Each structure stands twice: as C-alpha cells, then as structure tokens.
Amino acid sequence: MYGSRTLAQIDADLQEMATNAGYGLKSFQSNHEGALIERIHAAREQQVDAIIINPAAYTHTSVALLDAVKGTGVPLVELHISNVHARESFRHHSYLSATARAVMCGFG
C-alpha cells in the first residue's frame, strides 16, 4: 500500500527536486503528536513559506494539529501516499483538509 521506498530515499529525492527548482526543503518526521505541533509552530518563527505534511492517522483524529496549522498562517499541503478515500470509512474525514491549500492522495 505504501510502496517499498524508505523515508530516507523519499527525502533524498525531495531534496534534489527542491534544489533543482531553486527551493530549500527541511524534512521532519515524528510519531509524536506534540513534536509535530512544535514543528508546525516553529515554521512561522522560521518564516517557512509552506508546509507539506503527511499527517498519517492524525489526519482523522487530531484537532490539535488543525489548531497548530490555523495558528501559524503558513500555507499547508496535505499529502497521503495511499488513497484514503479507497480505504476504511473513518479515513475519509480529515481535520486538516479544510485549512489546506491542496490535498493530494493515492499517488504512491
């Protein structure tokens, strides 16, 4: 469902694409909701231009992530490797989608 590439491989490809397009990219991964919220808050302080996030299961459960995003005012793109709409019905709702500039899912 999620492919065979490691997070390090995905990050390396994204870094290369960003550099080739003239952008900087910082990657961050955590399984801890609080760490994600702190990183989102830091984005405003660091004058980050945009956040691309795969919130995984927090997509469907975390009002705290939603509030953090709303509080920063930093544009957000929500990204999912799998097609969440082709999965269990509880995955069809996202707290973050309402604040996202774009939502992408299912491209692997």
Side-chain angles (χ1 to χ4, degrees):
M1 176 181 324
Y2 298 113
S4 60
R5 302 190 69 233
T6 67
L7 181 58
Q9 291 169 324
I10 293 168
D11 282 346
D13 287 348
L14 292 172
Q15 284 291 343
E16 182 179 345
M17 287 190 298
T19 299
N20 290 342
Y23 295 102
L25 178 72
K26 293 181 183 178
S27 297
F28 179 80
Q29 192 281 329
S30 179
N31 294 323
H32 301 281
E33 185 179 33
L36 296 170
I37 291 166
E38 288 174 359
R39 183 65 190 103
I40 290 168
H41 287 157
R44 180 172 57 179
E45 296 166 11
Q46 296 171 357
Q47 300 179 333
V48 168
D49 293 320
I51 296 170
I52 302 170
I53 187 171
N54 179 343
Y58 291 127
T59 303
H60 325 291
T61 63
S62 184
V63 174
L65 279 180
L66 170 65
D67 289 346
V69 169
K70 283 182 173 181
T72 66
V74 176
L76 176 95
V77 173
E78 181 180 342
L79 175 68
H80 299 280
I81 294 170
S82 69
N83 179 354
V84 295
H85 302 290
R87 297 181 63 191
E88 302 92 341
S89 61
F90 72 86
R91 297 186 191 275
H92 299 176
H93 176 264
S94 166
Y95 281 101
L96 296 177
S97 290
T99 63
R101 295 275 176 100
V103 177
M104 293 183 281
C105 68
F107 289 97

